[in-house]
């Protein structure tokens, strides 16, 4: 280093970069606590199978009684693999 604060290459002196520190966090205990809180919030009467059946029924209702344009759009979305095919090939099925 020269006495003028410049490196021999003519660039200003730069401090050494800060040392890096490896940081490992284990969040598995936090995840277990979070899941326990979710299950507590759902309560003892929560039935996951019934919840899934209700969700399927809601999708069936959502895609029922489509008019021609809605059915065409639904078919396009199914063909593009954006939506799964429901029922027997017709959204109302």
């Amino acid at each position: 280093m020269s006495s003028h604060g410049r490196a021999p290459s003519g660039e200003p002196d730069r401090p050494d970069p800060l040392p890096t520190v490896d940081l490992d966090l284990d969040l598995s205990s936090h995840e277990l606590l979070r899941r326990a809180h979710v299950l507590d919030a759902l309560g003892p009467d929560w039935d996951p199978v019934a919840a899934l059946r209700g969700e399927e029924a809601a999708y069936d209702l959502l895609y029922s009684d489509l008019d021609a344009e809605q059915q065409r759009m639904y078919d396009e979305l199914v063909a593009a693999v954006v939506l799964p095919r429901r029922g027997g090939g017709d959204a109302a099925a």
Side-chain angles (χ1 to χ4, degrees), residues 4-78:
H4 299 292
R6 295 200 176 269
S9 65
E11 294 182 19
D13 290 334
R14 294 194 177 136
D16 291 332
L18 295 175
T20 59
V21 176
D22 290 333
L23 182 62
D24 293 324
L25 295 175
D26 182 6
L27 298 176
S28 56
S29 63
H30 177 70
E31 176 63 13
L32 289 175
L33 181 61
R34 185 195 67 79
R35 288 181 185 187
H37 286 300
V38 167
L39 291 175
D40 283 344
L42 290 171
D45 297 331
W46 180 65
D47 181 358
V49 174
L52 288 174
R53 284 188 188 127
E55 187 174 328
E56 287 299 315
Y59 277 118
D60 290 341
L61 186 59
L62 178 66
Y63 296 115
S64 65
D65 298 325
L66 300 178
D67 65 26
E69 177 62 18
Q70 291 168 332
Q71 184 67 50
R72 184 192 63 75
M73 180 60 67
Y74 171 82
D75 292 337
E76 284 183 20
L77 291 171
V78 168

